[in-house]
Amino acid sequence: MADAAVRLTDPAVEARLARLDEVLAGLESAPGPAAREALEPVLLLTEVYGEALARIVDLADERLGERLAADELLGHLLVLHSLHPEPAERRAERAVEKLRPAVRERGGDLEWAGVEGQVARVRVSSGGGCGSGCGGGSADVTEAVRAAVLAAAPELTAVEPVAEERRAAPAFVPLGSIGRRVTAQEAR
Protein backbone atom coordinates (compact mmCIF):
# COMPACT_ATOMS: atom_id res chain seq x y z
CA MET A 1 0.00 0.00 0.00
CA ALA A 2 1.29 3.49 -0.87
CA ASP A 3 2.17 5.94 1.87
CA ALA A 4 -0.28 8.74 2.51
CA ALA A 5 0.46 11.84 0.49
CA VAL A 6 2.61 14.37 2.28
CA ARG A 7 0.68 17.59 2.85
CA LEU A 8 2.33 20.98 2.69
CA THR A 9 1.95 23.46 5.51
CA ASP A 10 0.90 27.00 4.63
CA PRO A 11 4.46 28.34 5.12
CA ALA A 12 5.77 25.58 2.85
CA VAL A 13 3.22 26.52 0.19
CA GLU A 14 4.21 30.19 0.50
CA ALA A 15 7.89 29.30 0.14
CA ARG A 16 7.19 27.27 -3.00
CA LEU A 17 5.07 30.03 -4.49
CA ALA A 18 7.82 32.57 -3.82
CA ARG A 19 10.38 30.29 -5.49
CA LEU A 20 8.01 29.71 -8.42
CA ASP A 21 7.71 33.49 -8.86
CA GLU A 22 11.52 33.78 -8.93
CA VAL A 23 11.94 30.98 -11.47
CA LEU A 24 9.17 32.30 -13.73
CA ALA A 25 10.53 35.85 -13.55
CA GLY A 26 13.93 34.50 -14.58
CA LEU A 27 12.43 32.61 -17.50
CA GLU A 28 10.34 35.57 -18.63
CA SER A 29 13.37 37.85 -18.69
CA ALA A 30 15.69 35.33 -20.37
CA PRO A 31 16.44 36.04 -24.03
CA GLY A 32 15.77 33.60 -26.81
CA PRO A 33 13.23 30.97 -27.78
CA ALA A 34 14.36 28.44 -25.15
CA ALA A 35 12.84 30.55 -22.37
CA ARG A 36 9.51 30.79 -24.21
CA GLU A 37 9.56 27.04 -24.79
CA ALA A 38 10.23 26.46 -21.07
CA LEU A 39 7.23 28.63 -20.14
CA GLU A 40 4.82 26.82 -22.45
CA PRO A 41 4.43 23.68 -20.29
CA VAL A 42 3.82 25.86 -17.22
CA LEU A 43 1.04 27.73 -19.04
CA LEU A 44 -0.50 24.50 -20.35
CA LEU A 45 -0.39 22.89 -16.91
CA THR A 46 -1.95 25.99 -15.35
CA GLU A 47 -4.80 25.88 -17.88
CA VAL A 48 -5.45 22.17 -17.27
CA TYR A 49 -5.39 22.57 -13.47
CA GLY A 50 -7.65 25.60 -13.82
CA GLU A 51 -10.14 23.52 -15.79
CA ALA A 52 -9.97 20.79 -13.12
CA LEU A 53 -10.65 23.36 -10.42
CA ALA A 54 -13.57 24.76 -12.44
CA ARG A 55 -15.08 21.28 -12.61
CA ILE A 56 -14.72 20.86 -8.85
CA VAL A 57 -16.49 24.20 -8.33
CA ASP A 58 -19.26 23.13 -10.74
CA LEU A 59 -19.81 19.92 -8.77
CA ALA A 60 -19.64 21.54 -5.33
CA ASP A 61 -22.78 22.40 -3.42
CA GLU A 62 -23.09 25.87 -1.92
CA ARG A 63 -21.58 24.88 1.44
CA LEU A 64 -18.54 23.21 -0.13
CA GLY A 65 -18.13 26.15 -2.52
CA GLU A 66 -18.01 28.53 0.45
CA ARG A 67 -15.46 26.32 2.22
CA LEU A 68 -13.27 26.17 -0.90
CA ALA A 69 -13.41 29.94 -1.29
CA ALA A 70 -12.62 30.50 2.40
CA ASP A 71 -9.40 28.46 2.25
CA GLU A 72 -6.53 30.89 1.64
CA LEU A 73 -4.69 28.82 -0.99
CA LEU A 74 -7.82 27.62 -2.77
CA GLY A 75 -9.29 31.11 -2.65
CA HIS A 76 -6.20 32.48 -4.43
CA LEU A 77 -6.44 29.74 -7.05
CA LEU A 78 -10.13 30.50 -7.57
CA VAL A 79 -9.23 34.16 -8.10
CA LEU A 80 -6.37 33.24 -10.45
CA HIS A 81 -8.74 31.25 -12.64
CA SER A 82 -11.65 33.75 -12.35
CA LEU A 83 -13.75 31.19 -10.47
CA HIS A 84 -14.18 32.84 -7.08
CA PRO A 85 -17.87 32.98 -6.18
CA GLU A 86 -17.64 36.30 -4.33
CA PRO A 87 -17.30 39.63 -6.15
CA ALA A 88 -13.97 41.43 -5.91
CA GLU A 89 -15.50 44.23 -3.82
CA ARG A 90 -16.63 41.81 -1.09
CA ARG A 91 -13.24 40.06 -0.98
CA ALA A 92 -11.44 43.41 -0.74
CA GLU A 93 -13.76 44.60 2.02
CA ARG A 94 -13.10 41.40 3.99
CA ALA A 95 -9.33 41.93 3.61
CA VAL A 96 -9.68 45.42 5.11
CA GLU A 97 -11.78 44.08 7.98
CA LYS A 98 -9.12 41.45 8.75
CA LEU A 99 -6.48 44.20 9.06
CA ARG A 100 -8.66 46.50 11.14
CA PRO A 101 -7.88 45.01 14.62
CA ALA A 102 -4.11 45.28 14.06
CA VAL A 103 -4.43 48.90 12.92
CA ARG A 104 -6.63 49.71 15.92
CA GLU A 105 -3.96 48.25 18.22
CA ARG A 106 -1.57 50.82 16.75
CA GLY A 107 -4.00 53.66 17.50
CA GLY A 108 -5.52 54.06 14.06
CA ASP A 109 -8.50 52.74 12.20
CA LEU A 110 -9.55 51.51 8.78
CA GLU A 111 -12.89 51.90 7.12
CA TRP A 112 -13.97 50.36 3.85
CA ALA A 113 -15.22 53.10 1.51
CA GLY A 114 -16.11 50.96 -1.52
CA VAL A 115 -14.96 50.63 -5.11
CA GLU A 116 -15.06 53.28 -7.80
CA GLY A 117 -14.45 51.72 -11.19
CA GLN A 118 -11.57 49.32 -10.53
CA VAL A 119 -10.13 51.29 -7.60
CA ALA A 120 -10.69 50.27 -3.98
CA ARG A 121 -11.15 53.14 -1.56
CA VAL A 122 -10.18 52.83 2.11
CA ARG A 123 -10.29 55.44 4.85
CA VAL A 124 -7.11 55.23 6.94
CA SER A 125 -7.17 57.35 10.09
CA SER A 126 -4.60 57.96 12.80
CA GLY A 127 -6.99 58.26 15.72
CA GLY A 128 -7.54 61.10 18.14
CA GLY A 129 -4.48 62.75 19.60
CA CYS A 130 -2.15 60.19 18.14
CA GLY A 131 1.00 61.48 16.58
CA SER A 132 2.79 59.95 13.64
CA GLY A 133 4.42 57.40 15.93
CA CYS A 134 1.31 55.30 16.45
CA GLY A 135 1.15 54.25 12.83
CA GLY A 136 -2.57 54.50 12.17
CA GLY A 137 -2.08 56.55 9.01
CA SER A 138 1.52 55.62 8.27
CA ALA A 139 2.86 54.57 4.92
CA ASP A 140 3.41 51.07 6.34
CA VAL A 141 -0.29 50.68 7.15
CA THR A 142 -1.32 52.09 3.78
CA GLU A 143 1.04 49.67 2.00
CA ALA A 144 -0.22 46.71 4.07
CA VAL A 145 -3.80 47.62 3.15
CA ARG A 146 -2.88 47.95 -0.52
CA ALA A 147 -1.12 44.57 -0.57
CA ALA A 148 -3.94 42.78 1.28
CA VAL A 149 -6.69 44.24 -0.91
CA LEU A 150 -4.91 43.51 -4.20
CA ALA A 151 -4.03 39.97 -3.05
CA ALA A 152 -7.70 39.31 -2.25
CA ALA A 153 -9.03 41.04 -5.37
CA PRO A 154 -6.36 41.32 -8.08
CA GLU A 155 -9.06 42.37 -10.55
CA LEU A 156 -8.87 45.79 -8.91
CA THR A 157 -6.20 48.06 -10.30
CA ALA A 158 -5.37 50.20 -7.28
CA VAL A 159 -6.14 51.06 -3.68
CA GLU A 160 -6.52 54.73 -2.77
CA PRO A 161 -6.71 56.11 0.73
CA VAL A 162 -9.67 58.38 1.36
CA ALA A 163 -8.99 61.49 3.43
CA GLU A 164 -10.46 61.57 6.90
CA GLU A 165 -13.65 63.55 7.06
CA ARG A 166 -13.25 66.34 9.55
CA ARG A 167 -16.55 67.37 11.01
CA ALA A 168 -16.94 71.06 11.73
CA ALA A 169 -17.99 71.93 15.25
CA PRO A 170 -21.59 73.00 15.33
CA ALA A 171 -22.06 76.75 15.43
CA PHE A 172 -23.23 78.12 18.77
CA VAL A 173 -26.71 79.52 18.58
CA PRO A 174 -28.08 81.14 21.74
CA LEU A 175 -31.35 79.54 22.77
CA GLY A 176 -32.94 82.94 23.22
CA SER A 177 -32.55 83.72 19.53
CA ILE A 178 -34.39 80.62 18.35
CA GLY A 179 -37.95 81.33 17.32
CA ARG A 180 -37.59 85.07 17.77
CA ARG A 181 -37.46 87.36 14.77
CA VAL A 182 -35.12 90.27 14.79
CA THR A 183 -36.97 93.47 13.84
CA ALA A 184 -35.45 96.01 11.50
CA GLN A 185 -35.01 98.42 14.38
CA GLU A 186 -33.13 95.79 16.49
CA ALA A 187 -30.88 94.99 13.56
CA ARG A 188 -29.64 98.64 13.41
Side-chain angles (χ1 to χ4, degrees):
M1 184 191 288
D3 291 334
V6 177
R7 302 289 304 266
L8 297 175
T9 63
D10 285 345
V13 169
E14 289 174 15
R16 283 166 174 78
L17 289 173
R19 178 67 183 134
L20 180 61
D21 282 344
E22 291 172 10
V23 171
L24 289 174
L27 281 173
E28 288 173 343
S29 65
R36 285 189 299 278
E37 288 176 16
L39 282 173
E40 185 179 6
V42 173
L43 295 173
L44 293 171
L45 189 60
T46 301
E47 287 177 1
V48 170
Y49 281 176
E51 177 57 26
L53 185 57
R55 291 179 185 193
I56 290 170
V57 170
D58 288 346
L59 294 172
D61 61 18
E62 185 176 340
R63 184 169 176 258
L64 179 57
E66 289 172 0
R67 289 180 59 206
L68 293 172
D71 180 274
E72 187 173 359
L73 176 58
L74 292 173
H76 286 294
L77 288 174
L78 291 169
V79 167
L80 175 70
H81 294 284
S82 301
L83 298 170
H84 204 289
E86 288 183 314
E89 183 168 1
R90 177 65 192 118
R91 286 182 271 127
E93 179 180 9
R94 192 171 47 254
V96 168
E97 290 304 316
K98 281 183 183 178
L99 285 175
R100 195 172 197 195
V103 173
R104 282 184 167 173
E105 283 180 10
R106 296 177 71 184
D109 200 5
L110 296 176
E111 183 182 342
W112 177 249
V115 172
E116 290 181 17
Q118 293 299 103
V119 177
R121 312 227 339 124
V122 180
R123 189 169 288 106
V124 180
S125 60
S126 60
C130 184
S132 61
C134 65
S138 72
D140 290 346
V141 171
T142 301
E143 178 55 28
V145 170
R146 188 194 70 73
V149 167
L150 294 180
E155 308 93 320
L156 301 177
T157 58
V159 179
E160 292 181 357
V162 176
E164 280 186 70
E165 292 177 9
R166 305 243 184 234
R167 294 187 180 140
F172 177 74
V173 178
L175 288 177
S177 67
I178 296 177
R180 188 178 135 216
R181 288 212 149 125
V182 177
T183 64
Q185 187 175 10
E186 289 176 322
R188 284 188 225 156

